[in-house]
Amino acid sequence: MKFLEKLGIKAKNQGSSTGLKWNSTCDQGEINVISPADGKLLASVYLASKDDYENLVETSQKAFKIWRKVPAPKRGEIVRQIGNELRKNKNALGTLVSYEMGKSLQEGWGEVQEMIDICDFALGQSRQLCGSTIHSERESHRLYDQYHPLGIVGIITAFNFPVAVWSWNAMIAAICGDVNIWKPSSKTPLTAIAIQNILAPIIKSNNLPEGLFSLIVGRGSDVGETMLNDQRLPLISITGSTRVGRHAAEVIARRFGKSILELGGNNAIIMTPEANLKLAVPGIVFSAVGTAGQRCTTTRRIILHESIYDQVKDLIVKAYGSLKIGSPLDEANHMGPLIDKGAVKDYQNALKALVEQGGKILTGGEVLEGDGYESGCYVTPVIAEAENSYPIVQEETFAPILYLIRYSGELENAIKLHNDVVQGLSSSIFTDNLQEAEEFLSHWGSDCGIANVNIGTSGAEIGGAFGGEKETGGGRESGSDAWKGYMRRQTNTINYGRTIPLAQGIKFDI
Ligand code: UN1
């Protein structure tokens, strides 16, 4: 396949690198990457050893000492070059994302576009790492704060956005003067290797040290756990399930490390009687079935006013009827496969639980077989009627299952249902009523990190801070001032007078 060749992916790939020099460990086992699109073996990757990890950290420490002295706008220049290289490789890399992970081609390319966008953003940000200047209470004193790089940032990513989430972290960390070690999901290591191949010549031609952007492919229970416990990594950014994140947060907190957690979502759309259905239906369908329901931002619940319940139900069920499910590499298809057979099992178990708990499936629920579906990972997207209180509705099932939940009366009843889950990532309201929209966005409205009006819950732009509250973990990545999470803040007081007035007017005669 041409795109594999272009990205330097071989049949057998080394698992860890420091951006230039590839390690040669072959005795720790390997990951066979099977595409969920066709069930075929794409390539395999050797797992890294503990020694590889040690070398990587040592190389990264050395790189940090050099990189932190590079002026931030010059770091931005390197990020600009990365963005340009990604532009050249957008088609091939996006295609690999699609083939390895199973999201549609359009979404694969869109994911690479998000990487390019964050490079542009980070380039600009590299000239704006601003602290504040504060008026001192003491005469002839200057008080200000500034931001310094942290060191090595560990980046642990999930399979569903195998490259974009890394770039949100890595590009921002890079302009902040940090180096990073990336542990991708073991379900999608090839896209990570492709990125190392894209970065390596940039690092070399700019005479930058190895270890600026590193990759380690290893087991979570082994390499991942070592990273969480490693004092030499002052910050770890983790995207994954709440279960994984809770454990990681505890381990990192025990050593007083910093963490950025981007965990599960249970995102809902409220539809009031004043919703514009022409906008809402495509918004809902994309947010619910895009990436086969495997986005953190996927819409999982629709909270529907009883007066429009039947009408909206019929419209969405009808829209689902026209969805084409099949190979993500065929642009005619709307929805590709789930990531693997384990995910299919989770989908089936969730549906079983839903029915046991009193839910009613309106459409979908099948695992597809036959021509084009040989991988066993294709399912039909589900719309079901449910109550918000069902245990299964309270959980994030990473699959295209959409629950319709009825509300009556005022908007506050819908908001109560909306917020009555443990997760708090993304949320939306569809309404043409200004009061309703503003109430949803107010401090007694949505309790999520992302709250939208008249668009769905997914498809957040990189310019805003991305992340959520409650069990979503509270972290923020990507745009706005998320860069502050990748730096340490220092408050500085300078006395340029000839006396030393003590704070709070204290006299201390000696
Ligand atoms: C994720 O699912 O982890 O908002 C990230 C979106 C994408 C990012 C999703 N821009 O849907």
Side-chain angles (χ1 to χ4, degrees):
M1 267 170 267
K2 274 230 167 72
F3 62 91
L4 292 179
E5 238 168 74
K6 182 163 166 58
L7 297 166
I9 302 292
K10 305 182 202 103
K12 301 258 178 197
N13 298 272
Q14 296 308 139
S16 67
S17 86
T18 54
L20 281 180
K21 198 165 72 197
W22 295 85
N23 291 317
S24 51
T25 303
C26 296
D27 60 357
Q28 299 290 311
E30 57 192 288
I31 302 174
N32 287 326
V33 182
I34 312 280
S35 168
D38 56 13
K40 290 193 182 132
L41 176 71
L42 263 171
S44 53
V45 183
Y46 292 116
L47 291 168
S49 67
K50 280 240 157 69
D51 286 348
D52 291 334
Y53 177 75
E54 270 310 305
N55 289 339
L56 222 57
V57 174
E58 278 165 29
T59 314
S60 303
Q61 282 179 315
K62 284 187 202 137
F64 175 58
K65 289 203 171 119
I66 298 168
W67 187 239
R68 69 181 170 185
K69 287 193 172 166
V70 175
K74 294 217 159 72
R75 297 179 206 138
E77 161 57 21
I78 302 304
V79 167
R80 188 186 66 79
Q81 293 179 27
I82 294 173
N84 282 350
E85 233 21 66
L86 288 170
R87 280 181 174 87
K88 287 186 208 151
N89 287 282
K90 178 174 168 179
N91 198 296
L93 185 58
T95 307
L96 177 58
V97 168
S98 170
Y99 200 17
E100 184 179 36
M101 184 273 156
K103 64 175 66 177
S104 75
L105 258 186
Q106 278 294 335
E107 289 182 309
W109 294 327
E111 180 165 352
V112 181
Q113 187 57 48
E114 280 198 19
M115 301 178 80
I116 296 167
D117 294 342
I118 198 74
C119 288
D120 288 350
F121 179 93
L123 168 63
Q125 189 69 61
S126 71
R127 291 181 183 269
Q128 291 291 317
L129 301 175
C130 309
S132 348
T133 303
I134 303 121
H135 282 264
S136 168
E137 64 189 35
R138 284 170 281 185
E139 191 188 303
S140 302
H141 277 56
R142 190 156 81 83
L143 180 59
Y144 70 102
D145 60 23
Q146 59 177 339
Y147 290 84
H148 291 316
L150 279 174
I152 308 175
V153 176
I155 304 175
I156 299 177
T157 56
F159 72 86
N160 64 331
F161 270 76
V163 287
V165 171
W166 167 79
S167 70
W168 303 347
N169 286 280
M171 294 305 111
I172 298 295
I175 55 128
C176 290
D178 299 320
V179 301
N180 72 77
I181 297 180
W182 179 18
K183 184 193 165 299
S185 162
S186 51
K187 296 176 187 193
T188 50
L190 295 181
T191 40
I193 288 173
I195 285 171
Q196 284 293 316
N197 292 342
I198 291 169
L199 294 182
I202 300 171
I203 296 183
K204 198 168 182 179
S205 64
N206 286 280
N207 288 321
L208 289 166
E210 283 181 56
L212 206 49
F213 299 99
S214 295
L215 170 69
I216 186 128
V217 178
R219 291 185 190 87
S221 55
D222 181 359
V223 170
E225 209 53 35
T226 309
M227 286 173 80
L228 301 182
N229 281 288
D230 195 338
Q231 290 282 6
R232 295 167 298 179
L233 274 54
L235 168 66
I236 305 214
S237 171
I238 299 170
T239 303
S241 66
T242 296
R243 188 185 55 78
V244 168
R246 192 189 306 277
H247 167 72
E250 284 171 8
V251 174
I252 298 166
R254 222 177 291 139
R255 63 173 173 88
F256 295 105
K258 294 180 199 289
S259 53
I260 295 176
L261 305 170
E262 209 276 274
L263 313 176
N266 194 345
N267 319 296
I269 294 179
I270 294 177
M271 290 190 57
T272 81
E274 301 203 43
N276 177 334
L277 302 188
K278 277 212 179 79
L279 299 184
V281 173
I284 291 170
V285 176
F286 171 69
S287 278
V289 308
T291 325
Q294 301 169 105
R295 290 191 189 210
C296 307
T297 50
T298 293
T299 303
R300 311 215 173 271
R301 298 175 294 144
I302 306 282
I303 300 168
L304 259 173
H305 194 268
E306 59 181 357
S307 63
I308 52 168
Y309 186 93
D310 288 328
Q311 190 189 1
V312 174
K313 178 176 92 175
D314 291 347
L315 282 171
I316 319 178
V317 170
K318 188 164 164 252
Y320 269 46
S322 63
L323 290 175
K324 292 197 189 71
I325 302 153
S327 171
L329 298 169
D330 179 345
E331 282 184 79
N333 293 324
H334 299 104
M335 197 181 102
L338 293 175
I339 182 69
D340 56 20
K341 287 190 182 153
V344 173
K345 210 82 252 96
D346 291 345
Y347 159 91
Q348 289 174 309
N349 289 341
L351 294 178
K352 197 162 152 263
L354 171 73
V355 172
E356 279 166 13
Q357 288 164 25
K360 184 177 162 206
I361 296 175
L362 300 173
T363 180
E366 300 87 26
V367 179
L368 296 169
E369 284 172 8
D371 241 18
Y373 302 130
E374 290 81 0
S375 70
C377 299
Y378 291 86
V379 300
T380 52
V382 172
I383 302 174
E385 299 187 290
E387 298 282 341
N388 200 61
S389 56
Y390 293 169
I392 194 65
V393 175
Q394 293 281 317
E395 270 176 43
E396 178 192 50
T397 304
F398 230 45
I401 304 174
L402 182 65
Y403 303 115
L404 303 186
I405 296 159
R406 190 189 294 260
Y407 85 95
S408 51
E410 296 306 311
L411 177 60
E412 66 172 297
N413 300 331
I415 293 176
K416 191 162 180 300
L417 287 168
H418 175 277
N419 291 349
D420 198 11
V421 291
V422 290
Q423 309 85 347
L425 180 55
S426 188
S427 59
S428 304
I429 189 169
F430 276 88
T431 179
D432 282 348
N433 178 305
L434 179 69
Q435 278 83 9
E436 285 181 339
E438 289 289 348
E439 183 170 349
F440 179 70
L441 302 178
S442 75
H443 43 286
W444 59 94
S446 163
D447 61 3
C448 290
I450 298 171
N452 301 328
V453 176
N454 291 342
I455 63 164
T457 56
S458 68
E461 296 178 22
I462 60 94
F466 185 89
E469 302 300 325
K470 304 196 288 185
E471 292 197 1
T472 303
R476 291 296 186 276
E477 296 171 349
S478 193
S480 186
D481 66 350
W483 61 271
K484 288 183 178 168
Y486 300 80
M487 304 197 83
R488 63 185 169 87
R489 181 197 297 233
Q490 186 175 68
T491 303
N492 308 109
T493 311
I494 299 163
N495 176 6
Y496 57 91
R498 296 284 176 256
T499 59
I500 180 152
L502 304 179
Q504 294 95 36
I506 291 169
K507 300 270 178 280
F508 195 75
D509 290 326
I510 43 167

